[in-house]
Amino acid sequence: MILLRAPFGNAEDGALSFSFIDVGEGEATLVQTPKNRTVLIDTGNVISGYAVTEYLRHHGITRLDALIITHHHPDHMGGAFLIAQMFAIGRIYDNGYDLGGYHVQDDLYRWYEECIRTHAGYSVLKAGDSFSVDGVTFDVLWPLHDMAFTGLNECSVVMKLRYKTFSALFTADIPAAVEKTLIAQKAPLDAHL
């Protein structure tokens, strides 16, 4: 069920840990802060959302301080429907991408707007935004404000997590063109993980 659980820091002081949950195709990463606050980045697909829910329950998690959906391909956001029903969630973030055109093709996107984007704690993340949970800071490097995108991967939320001297980079499914743009902009991409 889990690919990797990696703690960083001193156990006596509380450690920052990452759980890369095996969802098959897609992603779901749980970040737990030293004071056991929780941030879930992506949720796997509609079917694997159950595995993510079971993983969280097995580890005694009853609440998520934040849920971040990096982009709207079903293998990254599909599990959000079950997770939003099973757990209290403080904040929900995504990239704000206009899903209106996708409603015609797939009810999944309409349901996402109705279930996730109507949450009282919903906010959009864009480059330059930053938020913290228990001293762990998430700096958003991508997507840019008011930029036209040609697909869902191109507007994936890219974040750099910072905690004391440790950092981790989350790039979701950005294509090579976005990587090149971030490098050209001299974005702070250096990270330990």
Side-chain angles (χ1 to χ4, degrees):
M1 176 179 294
I2 183 168
L3 292 176
L4 173 66
R5 183 169 171 85
F8 295 91
N10 185 332
E12 290 85 38
D13 297 334
L16 175 68
S17 71
F18 299 86
S19 298
F20 299 95
I21 304 167
D22 184 2
V23 292
E25 181 182 350
E27 291 181 18
T29 304
L30 178 67
V31 178
Q32 289 179 276
T33 71
K35 293 181 182 169
N36 211 28
R37 305 268 310 268
T38 54
V39 177
L40 182 63
I41 303 170
D42 289 333
T43 62
N45 62 47
V46 173
I47 296 169
S48 62
Y50 177 78
V52 175
T53 298
E54 288 301 299
Y55 178 84
L56 297 174
R57 284 181 168 170
H58 178 75
H59 287 87
I61 296 167
T62 59
R63 180 182 195 283
L64 295 171
D65 292 285
L67 170 63
I68 303 164
I69 303 298
T70 60
H71 65 293
H72 298 96
H73 277 135
D75 61 334
H76 287 254
M77 62 88 155
F81 302 107
L82 180 59
I83 290 164
Q85 294 177 67
M86 303 303 289
F87 299 91
I89 302 173
R91 303 286 305 167
I92 298 178
Y93 300 98
D94 73 11
N95 58 19
Y97 189 81
D98 181 7
L99 299 173
Y102 291 91
H103 290 183
V104 176
Q105 302 167 4
D106 196 334
D107 286 336
L108 190 69
Y109 296 101
R110 178 175 54 83
W111 297 333
Y112 180 86
E113 292 219 350
E114 291 172 2
C115 177
I116 304 303
R117 286 187 170 170
T118 59
H119 185 278
Y122 170 76
S123 296
V124 172
L125 294 175
K126 298 288 185 183
D129 292 341
S130 183
F131 68 94
S132 294
V133 176
D134 186 25
V136 178
T137 301
F138 295 80
D139 296 320
V140 182
L141 307 178
W142 190 266
L144 301 176
H145 289 269
D146 302 324
M147 186 171 179
F149 295 99
T150 57
L152 297 176
N153 286 342
E154 288 80 2
C155 61
S156 292
V157 174
V158 175
M159 297 174 296
K160 184 171 183 176
L161 175 153
R162 294 181 292 114
Y163 176 65
K164 297 184 179 179
T165 60
F166 175 81
S167 60
L169 188 63
F170 295 92
T171 60
D173 283 348
I174 58 168
V178 172
E179 291 175 2
K180 289 177 183 175
T181 301
L182 287 167
I183 291 167
Q185 293 175 338
K186 298 187 181 344
L189 303 175
D190 58 312
H192 298 97
L193 176 68

